[in-house]
Amino acid sequence: MQLLSSPISMGGISALWACSYPQFMSSSTLHPMLNVAIKAARAAGAIINRAALDVEAVRISQKQVNDFVTEVDHASEQAIIENLLTAYPDHGILAEESGSQHGNPNADHIWIIDPLDGTTNFIHGFPVYCVSIALQVRGKLEQAVVYDPSRNDLFTATKGRGAFMNERRIRVSKRVRLDECLLSTGFPFRPEDDFDKYLRLMGDMMQRTAGLRRPGAAALDLAYVAAGFSDGFFEIGLQAWDMAAGALLVTEAGGLVGNFTGESNYIDQKECMAANPRIYAQMVPLLQKYSKFASAAEKNEVSEITKTLRLTPASEAK
């Protein structure tokens, strides 16, 4: 390879970056597994949109106080699983409603699914909810789809190929000062949540940012960080299906994702923080004191428990 004999201008660097990474993505250039995930997400989105036309007719039940599930969640999840396992019958499934009872739980390829993230919003007719599908291969996130059916916004990512919204490349925001940033988060809603801790956390962050928002769908919150619509995100009490797809979107858009101590092994630890690298570094000192993990041993214990649960059929885990 011939080396350039003169320095490259910033314009030249931008041009090289544009040549190296496509700014638009067509379906013909997508990874085959991502294409299947998109098909599954759109099938689920069609079910959700039909139900949204008469949301008061949707049957609703409670998993616990303030934690709802509807017949739409179940129908959406079934459509996703059928699409994925028809294409890849040897793959495993980890889904919010059915756990790992479908597919091969010991497979290298595990699809992580939230069929309707933002169920409470949906049943109230508040149009902030989405479908989230991620593919984990040997423990690493490789494919991601977050689909907002009410706006027909499709966020996609393949590891090493960038993140896209409606086939246009997206990047995290360029802000460098936390006090100029708009952050999204989640508020406590379960009886076992530590409300006093949340209030202290919110108080710390509200005084140091331009504003906090609580849209109510973590996967979409992360997609918005990836697209630069918001500058960062943090939340406690999340599950793998809430974070997986959105996390890959953020990292492929140039951001960082981790737990409240800034470490990358967040997926099993029920706490998540995401932002561009400069803002991420400013969030860690503020959030780390609210992390529920005081030691590496406790983090490892949670990871081992989660692995065991994933290998246990849903019928046995109850």
Side-chain angles (χ1 to χ4, degrees):
M1 183 178 71
Q2 184 178 2
L3 297 176
L4 294 174
S5 57
S6 59
I8 303 175
S9 66
M10 288 305 294
I13 290 174
S14 299
L16 286 174
W17 182 85
C19 291
S20 301
Y21 299 95
Q23 301 307 293
F24 297 91
M25 184 70 75
S26 67
S27 58
S28 62
T29 60
L30 292 177
H31 189 286
M33 292 182 186
L34 184 60
N35 253 329
V36 170
I38 290 170
K39 178 182 176 183
R42 289 197 182 278
I47 292 169
I48 294 167
N49 278 341
R50 283 196 298 271
L53 296 174
D54 188 11
V55 73
E56 292 185 359
V58 173
R59 289 195 299 272
I60 304 167
S61 59
Q62 279 189 294
K63 292 185 276 189
Q64 58 177 318
V65 176
N66 292 333
D67 193 359
F68 301 98
V69 62
T70 72
E71 59 185 328
V72 180
D73 294 76
H74 291 295
S76 173
E77 185 168 294
Q78 182 178 352
I80 293 168
I81 292 172
E82 286 178 355
N83 272 276
L84 297 177
L85 292 185
T86 296
Y88 302 107
D90 295 329
H91 286 192
I93 299 289
L94 177 63
E96 179 175 13
E97 308 306 336
S98 61
S100 54
Q101 69 184 36
H102 298 287
N104 175 12
N106 299 310
D108 287 337
H109 294 69
I110 303 290
W111 293 95
I112 304 174
I113 302 164
D114 191 337
L116 178 52
D117 187 25
T119 300
T120 301
N121 286 348
F122 172 78
I123 63 180
H124 286 84
F126 189 75
V128 181
Y129 43 80
C130 66
V131 178
S132 177
I133 303 173
L135 176 63
Q136 192 177 59
V137 182
R138 301 180 190 90
K140 304 292 185 182
L141 295 172
E142 297 282 346
Q143 310 292 340
V145 175
V146 172
Y147 179 52
D148 176 352
S150 65
R151 296 170 183 78
N152 196 29
D153 284 337
L154 180 70
F155 300 86
T156 61
T158 294
K159 186 174 177 61
R161 296 190 186 182
F164 296 80
M165 174 185 172
N166 300 330
E167 300 185 352
R168 185 182 181 91
R169 189 174 176 88
I170 53 176
R171 301 289 293 180
V172 293
S173 80
K174 297 179 181 179
R175 288 188 176 84
V176 297
R177 291 168 51 102
L178 184 61
D179 61 5
E180 297 176 349
C181 288
L182 181 68
L183 304 184
S184 57
T185 187
F187 297 157
F189 63 91
R190 302 178 184 89
E192 68 271 19
D193 287 335
D194 187 339
F195 286 82
D196 290 337
K197 177 180 176 180
Y198 265 90
L199 289 173
R200 294 193 302 273
L201 170 58
M202 299 299 169
D204 274 355
M205 299 305 289
M206 289 174 70
Q207 296 177 66
R208 293 170 171 84
T209 63
L212 293 184
R213 298 292 182 268
R214 201 279 190 182
L220 201 55
D221 289 343
L222 286 164
Y224 278 21
V225 173
F229 300 158
S230 63
D231 303 295
F233 166 79
F234 63 94
E235 188 168 349
I236 300 172
L238 296 175
Q239 301 291 342
W241 45 76
D242 298 312
M243 299 180 277
L248 184 60
L249 288 170
V250 170
T251 56
E252 285 298 312
L256 297 175
V257 184
N259 60 21
F260 281 12
T261 58
E263 298 163 295
S264 60
N265 55 339
Y266 60 91
I267 199 77
D268 298 325
Q269 296 178 8
K270 297 188 177 182
E271 57 183 42
C272 182
M273 171 177 63
N276 74 48
R278 296 285 294 273
I279 300 304
Y280 188 90
Q282 294 169 60
M283 290 171 66
V284 171
L286 296 173
L287 293 177
Q288 62 185 359
K289 61 186 174 184
Y290 297 103
S291 175
K292 62 181 177 181
F293 301 104
S295 68
E298 287 177 325
K299 293 173 184 175
N300 290 334
E301 181 181 355
V302 170
S303 295
E304 290 303 316
I305 291 171
T306 305
K307 289 176 185 176
T308 301
L309 289 174
R310 287 184 184 179
L311 295 175
T312 303
S315 59
E316 295 180 17
K318 293 179 180 178

